[in-house]
Amino acid sequence: MEDDVDMSARPEEDENADELEDMKKRLKEIEEEAGALREMQAKVEKEMGAVQDSSGTSASLAEKEEVDARSIYVGNVDYACTPEEVQQHFQSCGTVNRVTILTDKFGQPKGFAYVEFVEVDAVQNALLLNESELHGRQLKVSAKRTNVPGMKQFRGRRPNPYFRFRRPFMPVPFYQPYGGRVPRFRRPTRYRPY
């Protein structure tokens, strides 16, 4: 009888072993595909120059400062104004590399733009166009400042030591005797000499 039990258990073991072998094959194929994808990604990153060394962050910060030195902030830009029109307006200052009109999350313009020039000298020429008109609006032109990380952290308000907090005056809607508090009821006590 033991032989019958072993025979009936073997096909299940064979099925489990086959499933296990299939899973191992699939895992090996997936690992090979992942390795091929990693190689392709590394190849693309080399071509694009995206591989940065440990000093890449300081280099990018210096790069950012250099780009900001060639850029200007333009305020009070008309909402219907296009980047091409802004570029045309500042073309006389120097060669315009890029015009960025910022928008909100719905795609509507915020009313200001950044203009990046090819030369640093063009910024000084562009500052002369401060208070010039575009689409009937007076533009505010200033040199773009470099963002300093960590400057916009919320610190909270410090309490003023000379200003004491007082509750605001709340007018009473109708007359309340005892200031709105109800006196506790006490039973009259009898005189007890001893």
Side-chain angles (χ1 to χ4, degrees):
M1 285 196 147
E2 290 178 11
D3 293 336
D4 292 337
V5 173
D6 289 338
M7 293 285 240
S8 63
R10 280 195 177 209
E12 289 177 11
E13 288 176 8
D14 290 341
E15 287 176 15
N16 290 338
D18 290 340
E19 285 180 23
L20 186 63
E21 289 298 321
D22 289 342
M23 290 175 87
K24 285 181 181 178
K25 285 180 186 175
R26 277 189 258 150
L27 181 63
K28 191 173 183 179
E29 289 173 6
I30 290 172
E31 286 176 352
E32 289 172 1
E33 286 179 20
L37 285 173
R38 275 191 227 106
E39 289 175 13
M40 287 172 52
Q41 187 175 3
K43 185 179 174 184
V44 169
E45 285 178 350
K46 277 185 184 177
E47 289 174 5
M48 299 294 288
V51 178
Q52 295 181 352
D53 55 353
S54 60
S55 64
T57 55
S58 61
S60 65
L61 185 62
E63 219 173 79
K64 200 174 195 181
E65 288 177 359
E66 191 266 328
V67 168
D68 287 348
R70 294 184 283 127
S71 303
I72 59 169
Y73 163 83
V74 184
N76 201 23
V77 177
D78 186 36
Y79 296 116
C81 206
T82 63
E84 290 80 20
E85 292 169 336
V86 175
Q87 180 178 357
Q88 192 69 33
H89 186 77
F90 288 100
Q91 197 69 42
S92 61
C93 304
T95 309
V96 176
N97 189 24
R98 179 188 316 162
V99 176
T100 309
I101 297 178
L102 275 79
T103 57
D104 61 7
K105 62 182 179 181
F106 303 110
Q108 301 298 320
K110 287 187 174 182
F112 62 93
Y114 293 105
V115 180
E116 181 187 328
F117 293 101
V118 176
E119 311 92 19
V120 178
D121 302 334
V123 173
Q124 295 304 319
N125 297 335
L127 291 176
L128 298 173
L129 289 178
N130 188 25
E131 297 180 358
S132 61
E133 283 199 9
L134 179 65
H135 279 252
R137 295 183 79 162
Q138 198 173 32
L139 298 179
K140 295 174 184 169
V141 181
S142 63
K144 185 180 180 212
R145 62 178 177 81
T146 304
N147 257 358
V148 180
M151 284 299 287
K152 198 177 177 178
Q153 290 179 348
F154 178 75
R155 293 188 194 96
R157 286 183 60 184
R158 293 185 185 145
N160 188 345
Y162 301 107
F163 177 75
R164 214 175 67 225
F165 177 74
R166 286 186 265 152
R167 280 192 304 162
F169 175 72
M170 299 280 291
V172 181
F174 56 90
Y175 175 73
Q176 295 177 339
Y178 306 107
R181 289 189 225 116
V182 179
R184 222 170 72 209
F185 177 77
R186 293 186 180 186
R187 252 178 10 132
T189 56
R190 266 182 46 204
Y191 174 70
R192 295 184 185 175
Y194 301 106

